[in-house]
Amino acid sequence: EDKSDVLKLPSHKLLSSVMNSCNAAGEFGLAILLNRIEVTGSSSYQSSITLDDPDFPKQIVDIQALLLESDDVLAATMFALCCLGCSQDAILLHSEVMAKRTNDYEFWEYSNECL
């Protein structure tokens, strides 16, 4: 019996669980960092994206497929951003993810107007 099979979880479940634990402990920056580590660890993408970059939400969605695939990862990321005082970025991130998921940029553009 291969014991490594016991620990195989879908990466989005593992990431969202760890991010939620960080958020529950008040370690919101660590939750975002773990999301970033997942990106750099699972791809060859290297970048210097920062929260104050105006294209932050679009760039994050472009490189982080788990945001598109998992509501849990999206929610944990948005929660961490809000707790870090980046509510606008959380809203923009949600808009970008939903626009990509539905391929409807015209509809989801309106959710940015509340900013």
Side-chain angles (χ1 to χ4, degrees):
E1 177 183 340
D2 185 6
K3 293 187 181 193
S4 64
D5 288 341
V6 175
L7 298 176
K8 287 186 181 174
L9 291 173
S11 58
H12 66 88
K13 289 193 182 289
L14 182 60
L15 178 60
S16 65
S17 293
V18 174
M19 288 181 72
N20 285 331
S21 294
C22 291
N23 287 337
E27 299 292 342
F28 312 112
L30 184 56
I32 297 296
L33 177 62
L34 289 171
N35 193 319
R36 178 73 175 127
I37 289 170
E38 169 63 24
V39 170
T40 57
S42 63
S43 71
S44 60
Y45 186 86
Q46 297 295 323
S47 172
S48 58
I49 297 172
T50 60
L51 290 176
D52 60 353
D53 187 328
D55 289 330
F56 167 76
K58 182 179 184 325
Q59 291 175 346
I60 290 296
V61 173
D62 285 346
I63 63 170
Q64 178 54 292
L66 290 179
L67 288 170
L68 294 172
E69 298 167 9
S70 171
D71 286 337
D72 293 336
V73 173
L74 177 60
T77 303
M78 290 177 62
F79 184 84
L81 285 170
C82 287
C83 291
L84 289 170
C86 301
S87 298
Q88 292 179 340
D89 290 311
I91 293 168
L92 290 171
L93 180 64
H94 180 265
S95 297
E96 185 66 29
V97 167
M98 296 311 294
K100 278 205 178 237
R101 281 183 181 176
T102 62
N103 200 25
D104 189 350
Y105 285 86
E106 189 174 309
F107 175 78
W108 288 103
E109 183 79 25
Y110 296 125
S111 63
N112 295 337
E113 290 183 6
C114 66
L115 304 175

